[in-house]
């Protein structure tokens, strides 16, 4: 799979918001699901959110449920991760990837992750 491209990261304050974008690098999304993961220094990659592109169903890690929202804009061919009520623990590099199987609930469900976009939450 061709790696998607993430953008939108940056510095945010605790309690603030950021919106990350994921595009499939000059083509349409070709898989059945898309998702986001994150990895902080010295930590393993963590599933954040996933979405079925056919049904629109979503799944979230408990740590972000109620604060993050994954969505897709078909006209823009972009998947977003809206992050609200940010916490220090959300600081990480965020990645997106497609899932050929259509499963979207854990890191192992996804193919090649993009290069990532850094999110830093500070006071």
């Amino acid at each position: 799979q061709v790696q998607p491209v993430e953008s939108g990261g940056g510095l945010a304050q605790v309690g603030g918001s950021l919106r990350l974008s994921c595009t499939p690098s000059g083509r349409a999304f070709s898989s059945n699901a898309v998702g986001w993961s994150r990895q902080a220094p010295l930590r393993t990659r963590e599933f954040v959110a996933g979405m079925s592109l056919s049904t629109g169903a979503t799944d979230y890690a408990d740590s972000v449920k109620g604060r993050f929202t994954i969505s897709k804009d078909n006209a823009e061919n972009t998947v977003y991760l809206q992050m609200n009520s940010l916490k220090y623990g959300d600081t990480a590099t965020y990645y997106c990837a497609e899932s050929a199987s259509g499963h979207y609930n854990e890191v192992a469900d996804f193919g090649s992750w993009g290069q990532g976009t850094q999110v830093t939450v500070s006071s």
Side-chain angles (χ1 to χ4, degrees):
Q1 285 181 330
V2 176
Q3 291 179 332
V5 178
E6 305 93 340
S7 62
L11 180 65
Q13 290 187 325
V14 172
S17 298
L18 282 174
R19 188 178 75 163
L20 307 184
S21 300
C22 172
T23 59
S25 191
R27 57 175 178 81
F29 284 109
S30 59
S31 298
N32 296 314
V34 177
W36 290 90
S37 69
R38 66 186 182 186
Q39 188 166 19
L42 304 180
R43 302 284 297 271
T44 58
R45 187 185 296 273
E46 174 189 19
F47 168 78
V48 174
M51 180 178 189
S52 167
L53 296 180
S54 56
T55 68
T58 58
D59 190 26
Y60 297 93
D62 288 342
S63 58
V64 307
K65 202 169 293 184
R67 300 188 297 120
F68 290 10
T69 302
I70 185 172
S71 63
K72 183 176 184 286
D73 185 323
N74 290 321
E76 297 293 329
N77 196 34
T78 301
V79 169
Y80 297 103
L81 184 68
Q82 178 67 43
M83 306 187 298
N84 299 329
S85 303
L86 285 165
K87 303 177 179 181
Y88 290 121
D90 295 322
T91 295
T93 301
Y94 284 72
Y95 304 86
C96 71
E98 296 183 65
S99 167
S101 70
H103 298 290
Y104 52 90
N105 310 106
E106 58 183 2
V107 169
D109 289 335
F110 298 93
S112 298
W113 300 98
Q115 294 300 305
T117 185
Q118 176 68 37
V119 171
T120 303
V121 182
S122 70
S123 57

